[in-house]
Amino acid sequence: MVKGENMALAQRGENMALAQIGGVPVLILKEGTTRKTGKEAINLNIMIAKAVAEAVKSTLGPKGMDKMLIDSLGDITISNDGATILDEMDVQHPIAKLMVEISKAQDDEVGDGTTSTVIIAGELLKEAEKLLDKNIHPTIILSGYKKALEVAKEVLKKRAIKVDIEDDETLRKVAATAMRGKSVAAVRDYLADLTVKAVKQVAEKRGDKITVDLDYIQLIKKKGGAVRDSKLVYGVIVDKEVVHPDMPKRVENAKIALIDAPLEVEKTEIDAEIRISDPEQMRAFLQEEENLLKEMVDRIREAGANVVFCQKGIDDMAQYFLAKAGILAVRRVKKSDMEKLARATGARIVTKVEDLTPEALGSAELVEERKIADEKMVFVEGCPNPRAVSILIRGGLEKAVDEAERSLIDALSVVADVLEDPYILPGGGAPEAEIAKELRKYAPQVGGREQLAIEAYANAVESIPRTLAENSGLDPIDILAELRSVHEREDGWKYGVEVFEGKVADMLEKGVVEPLVVKEQALKSATEAAALILRIDDVIAASKLETKEEEGKKEEEEEKTEFD
C-alpha cells in the first residue's frame, strides 16, 4: 500500500524531483532543479508579464515619459520606444524574454505599436488572472480570447479608411502620428515630409502590389547642428574620404564606376620565388607592376568614368595614376553601400576592371567630399530617379541623434505599411474603444463562461485609451466614461483621447491616424503571447551551470579533503 501511494505521489508530480519507490528514494530530476506547478506557476508567470508591461506603460502616447537605460559598460540609452527599452533591459526570466520577443516581432513586422502590444498582452493576462480566481479553466479563457480577436479584426476592417497612395498629406499625418510622443515631436512635420519623400522614392510596384524595402533608405547619424538640419539626399552618402590628396574633391556630371575588385597587382595563390641577379631585372619587374596598374586606370578612363567606388583596396601607384587622370576614387566601400550606389546611380557593379564599359557606368549631378562633424564623407547627389536615398540625421547631442533615428525608423515603417496596405484608422485609442463596445455587445450572444473571457478582452483592449489618459495627467474614469458615451453615436468610432486638450475629440479631424496593419498585428501578437503564457502550468528550471572558477575551487576543496 505504501509503495502504491508513493508511486501515485510521484505520478501526480507533487514531488517529481524525488520519488519514493518501496521506501527507496529515486532521483528523477537533477539536483538543484526547481519546479513550480499549477496555479503557483501560472500566477508567477502572469506577475512577471505584468511587471514587464508596467515598465513600458508610462511611455505610451504623446505625453509619455522616457526611460534611461544604463548597460554594464555604462553606456546610456534614453528612449520611449517600447522595442528599444525592452531590448536594452537585458531581462533574465524566460517569461520576460517572451514579452521582449513579441515587441521585437511587432517591430520587425510593422515597425511600430510595440508599446501597445506589450501593454495589451499584460492587460489580457491581468484580466485572465481574475477569471482564474473564479475557477475558470485557462482553455475556456483562451477560447473566449480567440473569438474576441476575430471580432476585433472585423471591427478594424469595417472602420478602416482606404487611402490614395498619391495623397501625400495623409501619408504625412501617418508619419507625424508615429513621431508624436517622441523627442523630435517639435519638428515632426518637417521630418514627416522627408519620410514620405524617401519612402515613395524607394517604393516599387510589383504586379498590383507596392513593396517597400526600407534597407534602401540609408540613415547616417552625425551630431552637431539641430534636428531640423537633417536632410534628404537623392543619392547615397558614403562614410569614407577620397583616397588621394591630389584627386578632385568635387565632380559635377559624374560618371560613376562601381568596382568589386582590388586595383592592385594580385599576389599569386601559390608561394613563388623570383631570383633577381641584375638591377635591370628589378627595374623591369617594378616597371611591369606599374604598367599593369596603369593599364587598369587607362581602362577606367577609356570607359569614361570620372568617379570610382572600389569595394576592395587601391594600390598607392594606382591612386597616383587615378589622381593624374583627374578621377575621384574611394576605396573599401561597404558591400551594402555599393548596392545602394548601384540602385541610386544606375551603375552596374563589375568584378573585373576589363569588364568596365560605358554602359556599366552610373550617373549623378554631383559627387563631392564634405566635412561634417569633423569627419569627411562623400556625397553622391542628384541621381536621376534613384531607387535608393539617404537621410542625414543631425542633432545637438549624440543621444538626441540616436532618438531621432529611432523616431525616423518608426515613421518610415508606418508610411511603408500604408503604401503596402493602404488602410488607416483614427488614433488616440479610438479603435480600441470601438472594439471594446462591439465586444460587450457580442459577449452575451456567446453566453456561458466564454462570455466572461470576451468581456475581459474588451477591458484589456480598453487599457490603451485609459493609459493615454493616465499618462497625460487626466482622470481615466471620466475620459473612459465620456469615450464610451460618444462611441454609442453613429460617428462615435472616430473619437479618441485628445491628450493636449484633455478631452475626447474626432481623431480624423485632428490628423491623428495610424495604419490598419499596425493595430491588427498588435492585437494578434498580444493575444498569442497571452495564450502562450496562460497554457503553461508547470515550470521546471534546471540548476544553473557552475562557472569554471567555481568548478576549480570545488576541485581544490575535494583534493584538500582527500589529502587531509
Side-chain angles (χ1 to χ4, degrees):
M1 183 66 187
V2 173
K3 185 179 176 182
E5 280 178 6
N6 281 334
M7 287 290 282
L9 189 72
Q11 283 166 357
R12 279 205 306 270
E14 288 173 19
N15 190 357
M16 192 176 170
L18 193 69
Q20 293 279 340
I21 298 176
V24 180
V26 178
L27 204 64
I28 295 171
L29 295 174
K30 211 172 180 182
E31 197 179 342
T33 302
T34 57
R35 184 173 186 233
K36 288 183 173 62
T37 59
K39 206 161 186 183
E40 185 192 4
I42 293 173
N43 287 343
L44 178 68
N45 290 343
I46 289 173
M47 182 187 79
I48 288 159
K50 285 196 300 185
V52 173
E54 285 295 325
V56 295
K57 206 171 185 180
S58 65
T59 67
L60 187 73
K63 291 200 172 182
M65 305 298 279
D66 288 0
K67 304 283 180 193
M68 178 187 276
L69 301 144
I70 304 151
D71 68 11
S72 54
L73 299 170
D75 288 340
I76 299 166
T77 303
I78 299 169
S79 180
N80 71 353
D81 180 64
T84 305
I85 293 164
L86 292 173
D87 194 31
E88 294 283 339
M89 265 166 62
D90 192 23
V91 293
Q92 290 301 308
H93 197 279
I95 295 297
K97 285 181 178 175
L98 200 142
M99 296 293 275
V100 173
E101 271 182 44
I102 64 160
S103 82
K104 277 186 181 172
Q106 178 77 10
D107 203 34
D108 293 343
E109 192 66 27
V110 291
D112 197 22
T114 50
T115 309
S116 301
T117 306
V118 175
I119 290 171
I120 293 169
E123 289 293 324
L124 285 171
L125 291 165
K126 191 176 174 181
E127 292 294 329
E129 195 174 24
K130 295 174 191 172
L131 298 176
L132 290 167
D133 290 341
K134 293 176 185 173
N135 290 323
I136 297 172
H137 197 272
T139 53
I140 293 168
I141 297 170
L142 295 179
S143 176
Y145 278 5
K146 196 175 177 186
K147 286 177 181 174
L149 175 63
E150 292 309 312
V151 172
K153 289 197 297 197
E154 282 171 27
V155 172
L156 291 177
K157 280 180 180 154
K158 180 184 166 189
R159 296 303 185 191
I161 303 158
K162 191 163 173 52
V163 177
D164 177 6
I165 57 169
E166 297 305 320
D167 181 2
D168 287 0
E169 188 54 40
T170 301
L171 294 176
R172 277 195 286 270
K173 284 177 186 174
V174 172
T177 301
M179 292 188 278
R180 219 166 241 267
K182 312 288 184 187
S183 61
V184 296
V187 290
R188 67 175 183 270
D189 292 334
Y190 173 72
L191 293 179
D193 190 44
L194 295 188
T195 301
V196 172
K197 285 176 181 172
V199 174
K200 289 192 85 173
Q201 192 61 48
V202 300
E204 289 182 81
K205 194 158 189 179
R206 292 180 188 171
D208 298 333
K209 292 200 80 180
I210 288 176
T211 59
V212 180
D213 188 344
L214 293 179
D215 287 342
Y216 293 123
I217 300 174
Q218 182 190 32
L219 298 176
I220 299 281
K221 301 181 292 182
K222 288 291 171 213
K223 67 175 180 182
V227 178
R228 191 172 271 280
D229 295 329
S230 302
K231 69 172 195 167
L232 174 65
V233 175
Y234 285 96
V236 180
I237 302 167
V238 181
D239 204 348
K240 297 276 180 186
E241 57 184 277
V242 175
V243 292
H244 197 279
D246 288 343
M247 285 178 180
K249 299 292 188 284
R250 178 187 171 94
V251 176
E252 291 180 11
N253 299 321
K255 295 291 174 194
I256 299 163
L258 303 180
I259 302 168
D260 180 14
L263 296 182
E264 297 168 340
V265 175
E266 289 185 48
K267 306 283 185 290
T268 55
E269 285 184 20
I270 53 167
D271 288 335
E273 188 178 311
I274 300 167
R275 293 181 183 276
I276 294 170
S277 55
D278 186 344
E280 282 301 318
Q281 287 178 320
M282 186 67 187
R283 192 177 292 115
F285 183 77
L286 293 171
Q287 187 64 46
E288 188 56 34
E289 268 197 359
E290 195 176 302
N291 290 342
L292 284 169
L293 292 168
K294 193 169 188 304
E295 276 174 28
M296 283 185 191
V297 174
D298 286 344
R299 183 83 197 184
I300 292 166
R301 199 179 68 238
E302 283 163 18
N306 52 14
V307 174
V308 173
F309 288 98
C310 184
Q311 199 173 322
K312 305 283 195 316
I314 301 177
D315 189 277
D316 290 351
M317 188 56 72
Q319 289 178 29
Y320 165 74
F321 287 128
L322 286 165
K324 205 172 173 187
I327 297 170
L328 183 153
V330 180
R331 66 177 165 184
R332 307 206 186 282
V333 179
K334 286 189 292 187
K335 186 182 178 185
S336 58
D337 285 351
M338 291 290 278
E339 286 169 4
K340 289 186 185 82
L341 282 163
R343 279 179 65 90
T345 64
R348 194 174 76 243
I349 300 170
V350 296
T351 50
K352 282 185 178 177
V353 178
E354 293 78 32
D355 296 343
L356 196 63
T357 60
E359 293 75 40
L361 301 180
S363 60
E365 284 176 17
L366 177 67
V367 175
E368 184 178 21
E369 182 187 82
R370 292 177 199 158
K371 195 171 185 180
I372 295 191
D374 291 333
E375 283 184 46
K376 289 176 182 175
M377 295 190 293
V378 177
F379 284 68
V380 180
E381 290 184 322
C383 301
N385 192 28
R387 311 309 304 155
V389 294
S390 302
I391 298 176
L392 178 65
I393 307 166
R394 306 304 306 277
L397 292 166
E398 196 172 330
K399 304 300 168 202
V401 178
D402 290 342
E403 186 62 358
E405 182 192 31
R406 285 189 281 270
S407 305
L408 270 171
I409 290 170
D410 283 355
L412 291 165
S413 300
V414 292
V415 174
D417 290 339
V418 174
L419 286 182
E420 290 179 344
D421 187 15
Y423 289 92
I424 58 166
L425 290 163
E432 288 83 0
E434 186 68 11
I435 288 167
K437 180 194 86 175
E438 294 296 335
L439 285 176
R440 290 193 180 103
K441 284 182 186 174
Y442 168 71
Q445 296 170 27
V446 176
R449 293 187 169 203
E450 281 187 356
Q451 176 181 345
L452 298 174
I454 293 165
E455 285 168 355
Y457 196 100
N459 294 338
V461 170
E462 218 171 35
S463 65
I464 296 296
R466 185 169 67 243
T467 305
L468 284 172
E470 282 172 6
N471 290 351
S472 308
L474 307 173
D475 188 323
I477 296 168
D478 291 348
I479 291 289
L480 273 185
E482 191 185 345
L483 200 58
R484 284 178 185 177
S485 168
V486 170
H487 272 259
E488 291 301 324
R489 291 179 357 206
E490 186 76 26
D491 66 338
W493 62 274
K494 298 183 284 187
Y495 283 74
V497 184
E498 172 38 273
V499 297
F500 296 103
E501 294 173 21
K503 61 177 187 179
V504 170
D506 185 335
M507 291 290 108
L508 296 179
E509 249 180 47
K510 298 285 178 185
V512 180
V513 286
E514 298 175 87
L516 167 66
V517 287
V518 170
K519 289 290 175 199
E520 272 189 335
Q521 186 63 38
L523 289 174
K524 283 193 278 190
S525 298
T527 309
E528 280 173 17
L532 199 62
I533 292 166
L534 280 175
R535 292 180 77 90
I536 299 165
D537 77 332
D538 207 336
V539 179
I540 301 164
S543 58
K544 287 195 172 120
L545 291 167
E546 292 176 338
T547 61
K548 285 185 180 178
E549 198 177 321
E550 284 170 351
E551 280 174 16
K553 280 180 184 173
K554 203 172 177 183
E555 280 171 20
E556 275 177 33
E557 280 168 19
E558 282 172 6
E559 281 172 21
K560 197 177 176 185
T561 309
E562 280 174 30
F563 184 73
D564 291 344

